Amino acid sequence: MDASPLPDPRSLVRPDIRGRLAPRNSSTNIGINLDRIVILVRLGWSVLLTMRPTFTIGIEEEYQTVDPVTRDLRSHIHAEMIEKGKLLLQERVKAEMHQSVVEVGTSVCNNIKDAKKEVKKLRHDMITLAKENGLRLASAATHPFADWRVQEITPDERYKNIVEDMQLVARANLIFGLHVHIGVEDREVAIQLMNHARYFLPHILALSTNSPFWLGMNTGLKSYRCKVFDKFPRTNIPDYFPSWGEYENFIKLLIKTNCIDNAKKIWWDIRPHPFFNTLEFRVCDIPMRVDETIALAALIQATVAKLYKLHAANTGFRLYRRALVMENKWRASRYGLAGKLVDFGKQQEVPARELILEYLDFVDDVVDELDSREELNYIHEILEMGTGADRQLRVFEETGDLKKVVDYIIGETEVGVTDLPVPASARKVG
């Protein structure tokens, strides 16, 4: 076998007019950015190239439909909001298990600025549609006083099966979340990035906390949604998986033994999406303001991009046991930004706000490449004004009235979106 050294990959490419690098002897103008070449493995004369993830963004938000008189949750079924929403937004709006929950989801967005435009439009159109049908839209992860025991389940075979399987646990799951998808096309890379990203989930949760009340009570937690949802099986922080193959074997075992029928019933705080080539972050409470949602999505995208940068340089972030990360998740759900998280590298407690600033420094070197600095800077605003949970609690302390808290949530849900023009199609709905 010829033992000649593998040629420098730069000798295989020529610069194009934009300063990128294109294959030599290529007649096309399509460039190959060397930053996207991650692995060069010599197999005889062959070279294996693994391409850089796209880091595309998809955002899903779950909203409450509220009666403007009682301020309690009210079903949107009779108002046919989903049907009317689909006429306006196609498949970007759908029902959830409880009839007072509406979910919207963006298309695949190339960057955070595209995502911001789309989320704002989705919120705006759903707020308009709710008002036209005698309802209000509220963005909080639990309703301050609604009783899940009187909430109706959406008539759908999938939800019927979930309730049949999990009974009271499913019926009580009256919560509202934010899910963020980041495009990572190589599944082996995705599982490695998931392993490392687990460490940051409590930090992200602390920034998103927006569910301090349950059944009319101050729970003492900033994210009570976490404690409602962790009654479901297959939730919380996932274990470490050494490879994509190990993860696939885990899923196959659960399906073979009738634990699940498909991988969508893996409800971890982060998971490789079973049908899309994305890492899906599911840890967040739904925030009140759209700018909070966008800031969290920008932070999540930057986290994945930074971890990938380390992975590509073979200098991955340190892995910590699930049990340790769960300690921080509890602190984040209990205290939000007002408490302390554990810096396991230093083996000491650190105020959550200080750790968030360190976190922002950690991802800073990928932010400009992602063109997300403006959106990410809103994290500082969250640190200053407090999370949704902090603000809800302040309103309750000032008024002693949970209906006033609902009014505040409705108002905050509309901040930054109600200045958009109402589309003609929306005005005609109903």
Side-chain angles (χ1 to χ4, degrees), residues 141-142 205-206 208-213 219-228 283-285 329-336 387 389:
T142 56
L205 172 62
S208 77
T209 52
N210 194 24
S211 50
F213 298 106
T219 65
L221 277 70
K222 297 296 179 68
S223 175
Y224 193 70
R225 167 185 161 271
C226 290
K227 307 321 293 178
V228 176
V283 72
C284 293
D285 281 7
K329 186 183 177 184
W330 161 249
R331 288 168 178 248
S333 64
R334 170 64 177 90
Y335 302 105
T387 67

Side-chain angles (χ1 to χ4, degrees), residues 376-422:
L376 191 61
N377 277 343
Y378 199 81
I379 296 293
H380 294 285
E381 187 73 18
I382 298 173
L383 295 175
E384 179 68 25
M385 69 182 176
T387 67
D390 296 323
R391 283 136 53 203
Q392 285 190 55
L393 289 166
R394 282 201 294 268
V395 172
F396 185 64
E397 288 168 6
E398 292 168 2
T399 66
D401 186 346
L402 287 175
K403 289 185 178 182
K404 296 291 186 185
V405 176
V406 176
D407 290 341
Y408 177 78
I409 293 168
I410 292 169
E412 287 286 280
T413 302
E414 299 180 5
V415 169
V417 296
T418 52
D419 55 339
L420 293 172
V422 179

Side-chain angles (χ1 to χ4, degrees), residues 349-391:
E349 297 175 291
V350 179
R353 280 179 164 83
E354 289 184 21
L355 277 183
I356 296 300
L357 293 175
E358 288 185 21
Y359 186 2
L360 292 174
D361 286 341
F362 172 71
V363 301
D364 189 73
D365 62 340
V366 300
V367 172
D368 289 328
E369 181 182 355
L370 297 170
D371 193 20
S372 61
R373 188 167 297 280
E374 178 186 351
E375 292 74 19
L376 191 61
N377 277 343
Y378 199 81
I379 296 293
H380 294 285
E381 187 73 18
I382 298 173
L383 295 175
E384 179 68 25
M385 69 182 176
T387 67
D390 296 323
R391 283 136 53 203

Side-chain angles (χ1 to χ4, degrees), residues 174-352:
L174 188 61
I175 55 175
F176 306 79
L178 165 68
H179 300 165
V180 178
H181 295 254
I182 305 298
V184 182
E185 289 69 24
D186 186 297
R187 300 305 253 175
E188 189 64 53
V189 171
I191 207 71
Q192 298 305 326
L193 297 185
M194 183 183 85
N195 287 333
H196 295 291
R198 297 176 310 153
Y199 177 81
F200 298 98
L201 296 175
H203 305 64
I204 295 168
L205 172 62
L207 283 164
S208 77
T209 52
N210 194 24
S211 50
F213 298 106
W214 183 251
L215 297 176
M217 296 178 288
N218 180 353
T219 65
L221 277 70
K222 297 296 179 68
S223 175
Y224 193 70
R225 167 185 161 271
C226 290
K227 307 321 293 178
V228 176
F229 193 49
D230 70 14
K231 295 180 179 65
F232 267 48
R234 300 175 295 279
T235 57
N236 274 308
I237 308 292
D239 284 323
Y240 162 81
F241 288 91
S243 68
W244 176 253
E246 292 277 349
Y247 174 76
E248 279 194 309
N249 289 339
F250 171 76
I251 297 298
K252 288 174 182 176
L253 175 62
L254 293 188
I255 293 174
K256 180 179 180 180
T257 55
N258 295 316
C259 298
I260 59 175
D261 53 8
N262 67 73
K264 282 205 77 175
K265 289 185 178 174
I266 300 293
W267 292 302
W268 296 330
D269 294 333
I270 182 173
R271 69 178 181 182
H273 194 277
F275 307 129
F276 310 135
N277 289 329
T278 64
L279 267 182
E280 182 185 7
F281 288 70
R282 304 166 50 85
V283 72
C284 293
D285 281 7
I286 178 72
M288 279 193 273
R289 294 187 180 186
V290 67
D291 285 329
E292 293 175 276
T293 285
I294 296 304
L296 288 165
L299 179 60
I300 288 168
Q301 184 198 39
T303 303
V304 175
K306 177 58 182 270
L307 292 174
Y308 174 77
K309 184 176 183 178
L310 295 176
H311 171 79
N314 199 29
T315 56
F317 194 79
R318 182 175 176 181
L319 292 170
Y320 291 95
R321 292 183 182 275
R322 176 185 184 273
L324 291 177
V325 182
M326 283 297 297
E327 289 294 328
N328 266 348
K329 186 183 177 184
W330 161 249
R331 288 168 178 248
S333 64
R334 170 64 177 90
Y335 302 105
L337 294 176
K340 295 180 179 180
L341 299 177
V342 178
D343 184 325
F344 292 113
K346 298 177 182 176
Q347 297 188 9
Q348 64 185 35
E349 297 175 291
V350 179

